[in-house]
Amino acid sequence: METTRTEGSLYTSINNKIATIEFGHPASNSFTAALLKRLTKTLNELSTNEAVSVIVLKSEGERAFCAGASFNELTAVSNLSEGKVFFSGFANVINAMRLCSKVIIGRVQGKAVGGGVGIAAACDYVFATEGASIKLSELSIGIAPLVIAPVVSHRIGKAALGELSLAPTEWKTVYWAQQKGLFAKVFENIAEMDKELDLYTHQLAQYNPEALEAWKKVLWEGTDHWYTLLLDRAAITGQLVLSDATKLALRKFK
C-alpha cells in the first residue's frame, strides 16, 4: 500500500545480507525534511551493519519514483535559516549515500524530478523501467539544481548535466539517461525489472564485502570535498528560494 502520511514513510527490511529501503509520500514520493533526515539516519546505520552487504533503494507504488523536494515545504520556507536546513536534507542524503560502506542499488520504476534525479545519481548501480524519464525542473521555478549538480555531473558528465538542466520543462527518456550513464539497465516493465534485480542483488551479496567496500571508495574518488560543497550549495539555494522571482514562479505552479 502507498502511504498517506503527510511527512512520508520509510521502511527497511534485511534478508540474505540485502537491506531494502523503501520510501514513500502521497505527493509522488517527494521528500519532506523529516523523510530526508530519516533516510540519512538509516543509511548511516546500515553502513556499519555487518549483517548487510548490499542496499536496495526503492520508492512506493508503480508510478513516480520521486518528485524531488516537497512542494508544500518548499513554498513554506520563510527565511535563510529554514531554506538552508531544508536543502541540507538532500545534501546529507547524498553524502550518506556516497560514504556508505555498502553498494547501493537503485530501483527506479517511474519518473524522477529534481532531487529524485540526484538520489538516483547517488546510487552505485541503477535498474529502471521504460517509464523512468527524468527532468531537472529547478530553473523553471526560480532556483537551480545546485545541491545535486555534483552528484549528477559525477554520474553523467557536465555536458549532459547542462543539456538536462537548461531544458527544465523537457523530459528526457529513460534511454537518454541510460546512454549518459545514469541507469545501468532498463526493462520493459516492473515485473521484469524486479526479477532481474533479485538475481543481481543476491549474486552481489555473495561477494567479499571488504572488496565491495574498497571498490566503492574507488568509484567515489575525488568527492571528499562534497560534505562542505553540498552544504554551501544548500545555503545558496535557500537564499534563491526567497527571491521575488522564485516566489512568483512558485505561485504560478501552486
Side-chain angles (χ1 to χ4, degrees), residues 25-244:
H25 191 277
S28 301
N29 293 325
S30 56
F31 273 103
T32 63
L35 189 54
L36 288 166
K37 188 174 182 179
R38 287 182 63 192
L39 179 54
T40 300
K41 181 175 183 291
T42 299
L43 289 164
N44 289 336
E45 290 172 348
L46 291 175
S47 182
T48 59
N49 189 331
E50 294 182 358
V52 174
S53 291
V54 178
I55 297 172
V56 173
L57 182 62
K58 60 186 290 188
S59 64
E60 292 182 347
E62 298 184 353
R63 300 180 69 181
F65 169 68
C66 178
S70 165
F71 191 79
N72 287 339
E73 291 196 2
L74 184 64
T75 55
V77 172
S78 61
N79 57 60
L80 289 175
S81 178
E82 289 178 358
K84 181 178 180 180
V85 168
F86 180 71
F87 289 104
S88 291
F90 280 100
N92 291 332
V93 166
I94 291 169
N95 278 318
M97 291 177 73
R98 71 177 179 86
L99 292 172
C100 183
S101 66
K102 320 298 180 181
V103 173
I104 300 174
I105 311 302
R107 175 191 178 273
V108 181
Q109 82 282 16
K111 291 181 177 180
V113 182
V117 179
I119 296 296
C123 293
D124 301 298
Y125 198 91
V126 182
F127 286 67
T129 67
E130 289 185 343
S133 51
I134 63 172
K135 179 169 66 172
L136 291 183
S137 59
E138 285 85 348
L139 287 174
S140 68
I141 60 172
I143 58 175
L146 297 173
V147 175
I148 64 171
V151 72
V152 178
S153 181
H154 176 80
R155 186 64 60 197
I156 69 175
K158 188 150 289 186
L161 171 62
E163 182 181 346
L164 182 62
S165 60
L166 291 173
T169 63
E170 178 183 321
W171 289 100
K172 296 293 187 182
T173 70
V174 68
Y175 292 107
W176 183 93
Q178 183 184 36
Q179 182 185 41
K180 303 302 181 183
L182 180 64
F183 300 143
K185 293 188 175 182
V186 175
F187 300 86
E188 185 176 346
N189 55 58
I190 293 174
E192 290 184 6
M193 176 178 67
D194 285 344
K195 181 180 179 180
E196 184 67 23
L197 178 64
D198 185 62
L199 292 171
Y200 177 80
T201 53
H202 277 80
Q203 182 180 44
L204 197 65
Q206 302 307 310
Y207 298 157
N208 181 353
E210 294 179 359
L212 289 173
E213 180 179 357
W215 185 240
K216 174 162 180 171
K217 289 180 179 177
V218 171
L219 295 177
W220 288 97
E221 280 180 349
T223 64
D224 292 343
H225 63 296
W226 281 15
Y227 183 80
T228 300
L229 174 64
L230 299 192
L231 292 177
D232 288 345
R233 296 280 185 87
I236 297 171
T237 311
Q239 187 173 17
L240 285 173
V241 81
L242 296 172
S243 69
D244 291 338

